[in-house]
C-alpha cells in the first residue's frame, strides 16, 4: 500500500515535480523495467517532438512572472495532495485538529486566562526574575509583545500542539517503522483531546514546556549516534524547558541517564550538560543580581511545605526549631487541600510577616518539610501515592475547587479581568490591556464557543486511558529488557516522572497531567515497532512450546533483536 511503506514518502514525488505520476502510463508495462519501475521517455525525443516546449524552457524564456508563480502554486498544491494521499489517516486527524483549534480561536477571542497568566504578563511587561516561577514563558511573551496580539500568542501555542502531533507521527513512521494508521493513532491523544486544546488556548507555560521537551526527545531518538551538535541542541532545549517550568530539572536527569544507558559517551553527555546549564546559570546570575541569591525561584521550599501540610505532626519531629513552630497545625484545624497551605488566607505561612514568597519563608518551609518527611516517611508516601493514582481515575471530578477547575473549561460566559495589585504597581487587568493595547477580556462568540463546549463535553482523554497508554509503553519495554527497553525507555520514564513530580513536590492538578501525554503516547507507539513485536513473538513461542526443532535462526527472536536500520530522510 502506498501509505504503509516508510520509504515511500511524498518527498520523493515532490522532488520530481510529480513527473513519475505523469509518465507512469507512457512507460509501458511494469515488467519492462527492473522491479516494475516506470521510466520517463527519453528527454531528447520529447524535445524533438515538441520543439515549442524547448523554446519555453530555455534561458531566454519570456514567461511572465505571474505564470511562474501560478505554476509554482500548482506544484505545491500537487505536493500537498500527494502528501495527504500517502498519509491518509494522519491527514484526516491533523486536519480535524487544526479545524478544532480554529474553532476555539474564533469562539474565545483573543485568548483565555488562568490565575497564573497575570504573573507571566507582569514579567513580560517589565522583565524581572519572578520569585514564584521561572520566566521562560514570559520571554516568549516578550518576543511576541511588539505585535500586541493575544490572538497571536494563542496561534503560536496551537501550532506547538500540532507540532507535537507531527513529531510523534514522524518518529513512529520513519524511525520505528509503524504503519500509517498506527502512528496516526498514537498522535491522536495530543491532537484531539479537548483539554489539551483548551490548555493551548490559555496564557500558560505548559504548552511551551511540553513542546520543548518533545523537541529534545525527538532529536535524541531520531539519531542513533548523535553528533556533538545534536547533543548541544538537546541540552540547550532542555535548559530552556527548565527555565519554563522548574520540573525541567528532572527532564535533564532523565536525558543524561538515557545517554548513559545508550553509551553515547561521556563527551556527548558533557556537551549536553554544558549546553543545558549555560542558559540556566545565566538566569541564576540575573536572579543573583536582582535579589542577591543564586537561585531560579524562591518557591521550592514553600511548595514542598504544602505537600506535607496535610500530614505533618510536629509532635513527631525531634528538635524542631522554635522559628518553625508557627508552621505547625493540629489535625482538627487543617484545611482540606495541600494547596491551601500556600494560597488560603488561613495558611500558617501568613503567620509570618513580610511577603509570602520571601527567601526566609522559603528556607523555613523547606526545612520544616524535610523534617516532616524524615519523621513520617510512610505518611509522605501515602499522600504521594494518593495524588499519583488520582491521575488514572475514569471520572474527571471538580478539584481542587470549583473556581480553579472552571478555568480548565470552555465556559459560557467570560469573566472580567482581575484587579489584583501586581509587583511594580498597576493591576493584572492593566497589564493585560497594556499587552494587547486594547480590550483583552475574553469574548465568547457563538456558535463557535458552543461547538467548543460541546466537543469538550464528549471528546477528552480520561485518566484511565492515560493509565492504559502508560501500560502499553511499559509492555513494550519488557521484551527488550536486556537493552533497558530500547528507545522507548526515554519517553516512558519522562512521562512517568512528569506525573510523579507534582505528586511528590506539590499536589495533583489536572493541568500537570497533560504534559506527560505526548511522551506516553510516543512510548506506547514504540512498543509496537517490528523489533519489539518480534521479541514478544519469540517469548510467546517459547512460553507456549510452539518452537520447532531445527527452526531457522530468524524464527527465534529474542530481546536481543537488532536495532532498526536507518531510513534515509
Amino acid at each position: 500500500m502506498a501509505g504503509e511503506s516508510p520509504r515511500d514518502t511524498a518527498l520523493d514525488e515532490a522532488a520530481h515535480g510529480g513527473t513519475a505520476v505523469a509518465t507512469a502510463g507512457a512507460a509501458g508495462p511494469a515488467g519492462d523495467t527492473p522491479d516494475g519501475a516506470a521510466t520517463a521517455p527519453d528527454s531528447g525525443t520529447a524535445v524533438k517532438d515538441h520543439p515549442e516546449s524547448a523554446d519555453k524552457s530555455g534561458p531566454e524564456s519570456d514567461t511572465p512572472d505571474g505564470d511562474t508563480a501560478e505554476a509554482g502554486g500548482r506544484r505545491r498544491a500537487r505536493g500537498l495532495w500527494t502528501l495527504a494521499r500517502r498519509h491518509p489517516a494522519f491527514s484526516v486527524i491533523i486536519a480535524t485538529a487544526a479545524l478544532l483549534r480554529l474553532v476555539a480561536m474564533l469562539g474565545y477571542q483573543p485568548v483565555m486566562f488562568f490565575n497564573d497568566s497575570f504573573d507571566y504578563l507582569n514579567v513580560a511587561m517589565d522583565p524581572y526574575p519572578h520569585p514564584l516561577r521561572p520566566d521562560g514563558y514570559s520571554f516568549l511573551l516578550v518576543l511576541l509583545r511588539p505585535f500586541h496580539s493575544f490572538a497571536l500568542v494563542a496561534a503560536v501555542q496551537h501550532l506547538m500542539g500540532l507540532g507535537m502531533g507531527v513529531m510523534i507521527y514522524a518518529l513512529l513512521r520513519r524511525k520505528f517503522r509503524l504503519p500509517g494508521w498506527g502512528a496516526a493513532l498514537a498522535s491522536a491523544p495530543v491532537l484531539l483531546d479537548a483539554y489539551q486544546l483548551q490548555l493551548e488556548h490559555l496564557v500558560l507555560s505548559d504548552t511551551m514546556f511540553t513542546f520543548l521537551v518533545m523537541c529534545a526527545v525527538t532529536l535524541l531518538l531520531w539519531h542513533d549516534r548523535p553528533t556533538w551538535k545534536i547533543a548541544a541542541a538537546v541540552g540547550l532545549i532542555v535548559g530552556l524547558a527548565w527555565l519554563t517550568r522548574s520540573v525541567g530539572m528532572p527532564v535533564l536527569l532523565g536525558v543524561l541517564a538515557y545517554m548513559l544507558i545508550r553509551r553515547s559517551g561521556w563527551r556527548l553527555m558533557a556537551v549536553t550538560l554544558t549546553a543545558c546549564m549555560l542558559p540556566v546559570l545565566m538566569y541564576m546570575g540575573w536572579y543573583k543580581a536582582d535579589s542577591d541569591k543564586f537561585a531560579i525561584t524562591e518557591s521550592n521550599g514553600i511548595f514542598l511545605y504544602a505537600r506535607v501540610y496535610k500530614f505533618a505532626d510536629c509532635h513527631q519531629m525531634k528538635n524542631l526549631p522554635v522559628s518553625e513552630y508557627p508552621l505547625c497545625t493540629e489535625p482538627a484545624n487543617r484545611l482540606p487541600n495541600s494547596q491551601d497551605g500556600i494560597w488560603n488566607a488561613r495558611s500558617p505561612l501568613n503567620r509570618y510577616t513580610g511577603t509570602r514568597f520571601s527567601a526566609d519563608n522559603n528556607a523555613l518551609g523547606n526545612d520544616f518539610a524535610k523534617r516532616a518527611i524524615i519523621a513520617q516517611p510512610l505518611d509522605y508516601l501515602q499522600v504521594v501515592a494518593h495524588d499519583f493514582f488520582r491521575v488514572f481515575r475514569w471520572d474527571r471530578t471538580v478539584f481542587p475547587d470549583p473556581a480553579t477547575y472552571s478555568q480548565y473549561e470552555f465556559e459560557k460566559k467570560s469573566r472580567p479581568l482581575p484587579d489584583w495589585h501586581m509587583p511594580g504597581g498597576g493591576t493584572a487587568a492593566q497589564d493585560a490591556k497594556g499587552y494587547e493595547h486594547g480590550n483583552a477580556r475574553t469574548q465568547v462568540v457563538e456558535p463557535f464557543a458552543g461547538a467548543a463546549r460541546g466537543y469538550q463535553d464528549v471528546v477528552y482523554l480520561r485518566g484511565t486511558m492515560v493509565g492504559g497508554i502508560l501500560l502499553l509503553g511499559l509492555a513494550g519495554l519488557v521484551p527488550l529488557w536486556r537493552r533497558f527497553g530500547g528507545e522507548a525507555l526515554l519517553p516512558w520514564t519522562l512521562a512517568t516522572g512528569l506525573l510523579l513530580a507534582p505528586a511528590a513536590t506539590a499536589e495533583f492538578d489536572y493541568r500537570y497531567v497533560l504534559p506527560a501525554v505526548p511522551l506516553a503516547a510516543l512510548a506506547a507507539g514504540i512498543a509496537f515497532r517490528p523489533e519489539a513485536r518480534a521479541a514478544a513473538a519469540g517469548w510467546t513461542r517459547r512460553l507456549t512450546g510452539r518452537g520447532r526443532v531445527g527452526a531457522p535462526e530468524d524464527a527465534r527472536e529474542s530481546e536481543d533483536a537488532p536495532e532498526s536500520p536507518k531510513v534515509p530522510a
Side-chain angles (χ1 to χ4, degrees), residues 312-333:
D313 185 357
C314 291
H315 300 291
Q316 300 187 42
M317 300 184 201
K318 297 180 180 179
N319 302 320
L320 184 68
V322 176
S323 60
E324 297 177 17
Y325 281 2
L327 297 177
C328 298
T329 305
E330 292 298 320
N333 298 327

Side-chain angles (χ1 to χ4, degrees), residues 67-89:
D67 293 345
T68 304
E70 183 179 352
R74 287 197 297 267
R75 284 195 297 271
R76 286 191 293 271
R78 286 198 300 268
L80 289 174
W81 174 245
T82 302
L83 189 66
R85 284 193 304 154
R86 289 189 177 277
H87 308 277

Side-chain angles (χ1 to χ4, degrees), residues 13-332:
E13 289 192 6
H16 296 285
T19 303
V21 176
T23 60
D32 294 342
T33 58
D35 299 326
T39 59
D42 183 78
S43 57
T45 304
V47 171
K48 291 178 183 178
D49 292 342
H50 303 282
E52 66 279 3
S53 63
D55 294 338
K56 293 181 180 180
S57 60
E60 302 298 329
S61 172
D62 56 354
T63 304
D65 292 341
D67 293 345
T68 304
E70 183 179 352
R74 287 197 297 267
R75 284 195 297 271
R76 286 191 293 271
R78 286 198 300 268
L80 289 174
W81 174 245
T82 302
L83 189 66
R85 284 193 304 154
R86 289 189 177 277
H87 308 277
F90 182 70
S91 297
V92 171
I93 290 178
I94 197 167
T96 303
L99 179 61
L100 290 170
R101 283 156 175 79
L102 178 60
V103 169
M105 292 187 66
L106 293 174
Y108 294 86
Q109 303 176 17
V111 78
M112 298 179 69
F113 296 98
F114 192 80
N115 288 341
D116 298 348
S117 303
F118 303 100
D119 286 336
Y120 295 118
L121 284 174
N122 185 251
V123 174
M125 296 304 292
D126 187 14
Y128 66 94
H130 199 281
L132 176 56
R133 51 183 63 88
D135 290 349
Y137 179 66
S138 294
F139 294 155
L140 174 65
L141 297 179
V142 170
L143 291 176
L144 300 178
R145 189 177 65 185
F147 300 97
H148 299 296
S149 174
F150 280 119
L152 178 61
V153 175
V156 170
Q157 293 181 173
H158 286 312
L159 289 175
M160 289 180 180
L162 295 174
M164 288 187 281
V166 171
M167 283 186 270
I168 293 173
Y169 182 80
L171 274 172
L172 295 180
R173 284 288 284 138
R174 297 301 304 274
K175 175 67 177 178
F176 300 109
R177 298 179 293 157
L178 261 67
W181 66 266
L185 185 63
S187 68
V190 181
L191 293 175
L192 302 181
D193 176 50
Y195 285 95
Q196 170 67 33
L197 172 65
Q198 197 266 349
L199 185 66
E200 294 169 14
H201 206 59
L202 286 166
V203 180
L204 281 179
S205 63
D206 301 77
T207 299
M208 177 179 170
F209 171 78
T210 312
F211 178 76
L212 290 172
V213 173
M214 279 299 301
C215 287
V217 170
T218 300
L219 276 176
L220 205 52
L221 294 186
W222 196 272
H223 302 84
D224 291 329
R225 298 296 177 188
T227 63
W228 70 268
K229 293 181 180 179
I230 297 298
V234 169
L236 183 61
I237 293 172
V238 173
L240 294 176
W242 187 351
L243 294 180
T244 303
R245 277 188 59 191
S246 298
V247 76
M249 183 180 67
V251 173
L252 172 64
L253 299 179
V255 167
L256 292 177
Y258 175 79
M259 295 178 71
L260 178 64
I261 292 172
R262 299 288 293 178
R263 299 179 182 178
S264 298
W266 66 268
R267 290 184 178 87
L268 289 182
M269 293 178 62
V271 169
T272 301
L273 178 61
T274 302
C276 175
M277 294 307 300
L278 181 62
V280 173
L281 291 176
M282 291 175 63
Y283 185 89
M284 295 174 71
W286 182 39
Y287 201 103
K288 168 75 173 177
D290 182 81
S291 56
D292 199 30
K293 184 174 182 181
F294 198 66
I296 294 179
T297 65
E298 288 287 2
S299 61
N300 58 313
I302 293 176
F303 277 104
L304 192 60
Y305 167 73
R307 176 70 290 179
V308 306
Y309 170 74
K310 291 184 67 173
F311 67 84
D313 185 357
C314 291
H315 300 291
Q316 300 187 42
M317 300 184 201
K318 297 180 180 179
N319 302 320
L320 184 68
V322 176
S323 60
E324 297 177 17
Y325 281 2
L327 297 177
C328 298
T329 305
E330 292 298 320

Side-chain angles (χ1 to χ4, degrees), residues 168 190 210 213-214 217 490-492 494-495 498 515-524:
I168 293 173
V190 181
T210 312
V213 173
M214 279 299 301
V217 170
L490 177 62
W492 192 88
L494 290 182
L498 288 177
V517 172
L519 296 164
L522 177 60

